[in-house]
Amino acid sequence: MEEALQWLYKKKLMHLESEANLIRKQLLQESLAMRRSLELSSIEPNEFASSSRQKCVAQLENFHSTLKELSDRLFPPCINEGLPFALQYLVQKWREQFPWCQFELNLPLNWLQKSLEHNCIALNILEDLLRIQTTAAFSNNLIFINLQQNIINCQLNNQLEVTFVSQNTNKQLPKNNQEELKYLQKSFEGLTLGTCHNTLTKDNNIWCFNW
């Protein structure tokens, strides 16, 4: 468990460093460029000022888009409306970035918010799982995501099942990916007090998270 938490903390630091570098090397530079364009438009003749303003508008649009992407990475959008909405948003993002990935979703129509923190953990774990599996062993296959919520012994139970279909399950993952999956499993169980099981069949690689 200690190694899993160290892995999680290291991954979080790497994420924060990446976002900080984005702010320093891109967003701050773009804001300076926009300021300079505005300054020039105020002193240039009219025929040149229009061009400067158009350039500034284009820079603002790009700046806004980058800020939106940054805010989405810092905190999952739609998570306050429930995990099903957040999962839909996450999968749509993956479809746009990785069009060769095929997803099928089975989500409940109604969702009782049990724990916002645990839902965020489940969403982050899912994204890590997708990243590891698709990077290491994924090619034109189907990913089936099934989310359920049930009452068991008067307790609200959430279950997220992720099935990677038609993969070569006999293919050995690189050692670093195997370690990441092990840490992912342990960190989920430790942070949510839930369970995580992985089952390999002839055609499927199934991950089941309960919390």
Side-chain angles (χ1 to χ4, degrees), residues 77-85 111 113:
C78 309
I79 193 71
N80 288 311
E81 284 74 38
L83 188 55
F85 291 100
W111 182 263
Q113 194 79 294

Side-chain angles (χ1 to χ4, degrees), residues 11 65 71 75 98 100 148 165 172 200:
K11 186 172 69 70
S65 176
S71 67
F75 190 80
F98 308 96
W100 57 88
Q148 296 183 14
V165 182
Q172 190 75 7
L200 292 177

Side-chain angles (χ1 to χ4, degrees), residues 8 33 38 48 50 58 72 83 87 116 123 130 134 136 143 188 206:
L8 194 66
L38 288 171
F48 297 112
S50 176
D72 289 349
L83 188 55
L87 280 174
L116 179 62
L123 197 67
L130 292 174
T134 56
I143 302 175
F188 173 83
I206 305 168

Side-chain angles (χ1 to χ4, degrees), residues 84-85 87-92 95 102-108 126 142-147 160-161:
F85 291 100
L87 280 174
Q88 286 180 316
Y89 188 92
L90 172 65
V91 168
Q92 182 58 36
R95 283 173 174 155
Q102 302 174 59
F103 288 90
E104 284 193 12
L105 288 174
N106 181 30
L107 305 174
L126 172 61
L142 170 68
I143 302 175
F144 186 78
I145 298 176
N146 180 42
L147 179 65
L160 175 64
E161 186 176 272

Side-chain angles (χ1 to χ4, degrees), residues 14-45:
M14 291 174 63
H15 172 71
L16 291 174
E17 181 184 19
S18 175
E19 303 300 9
N21 285 334
L22 171 68
I23 294 171
R24 293 190 193 101
K25 296 180 180 180
Q26 182 176 340
L27 293 179
L28 289 178
Q29 296 301 319
E30 287 180 5
S31 66
L32 290 174
M34 287 187 287
R35 176 182 174 181
R36 182 59 178 162
S37 294
L38 288 171
E39 289 173 343
L40 289 174
S41 67
S42 65
I43 60 176
E44 286 178 335

Side-chain angles (χ1 to χ4, degrees), residues 114 148 150 152 157-160 188-189 192-197 208-211:
K114 181 180 178 182
Q148 296 183 14
N150 302 295
I152 300 177
N157 182 70
N158 302 324
Q159 182 182 84
L160 175 64
F188 173 83
E189 292 177 339
T192 65
L193 299 180
T195 61
C196 172
H197 301 290
C208 189
F209 303 90
N210 288 277
W211 71 100

